[in-house]
Amino acid sequence: MSTEITTIAIGSEYNCSIKLNGNKYIFTVNYITVDIPRASTTATAKGYKLYPYFGGAETAPHDI
């Protein structure tokens, strides 16, 4: 599941966070918050970080 949080401008700085609260994820971008349901109900999550990823033949749209 995905949803748009806000539109951001290239070259600007933003404060972002992802928090876990029971059965939902809480995404925040510059004080705009969106809750998304979480399928897993465990206290911890397993996975890996992709960071900004531009895969395949795609390149980053600007210097990161």
Side-chain angles (χ1 to χ4, degrees), residues 20-44:
L20 177 63
N21 186 359
N23 63 348
K24 63 184 175 180
Y25 292 105
I26 303 169
F27 294 87
T28 303
V29 178
N30 277 7
Y31 309 105
I32 300 169
T33 300
V34 172
D35 296 350
I36 295 181
R38 181 175 177 248
S40 176
T41 57
T42 61
T44 58

Side-chain angles (χ1 to χ4, degrees), residues 39-61:
S40 176
T41 57
T42 61
T44 58
K46 293 182 180 179
Y48 53 92
K49 296 178 183 179
L50 290 175
Y51 298 96
Y53 174 73
F54 303 93
E58 298 294 321
T59 60

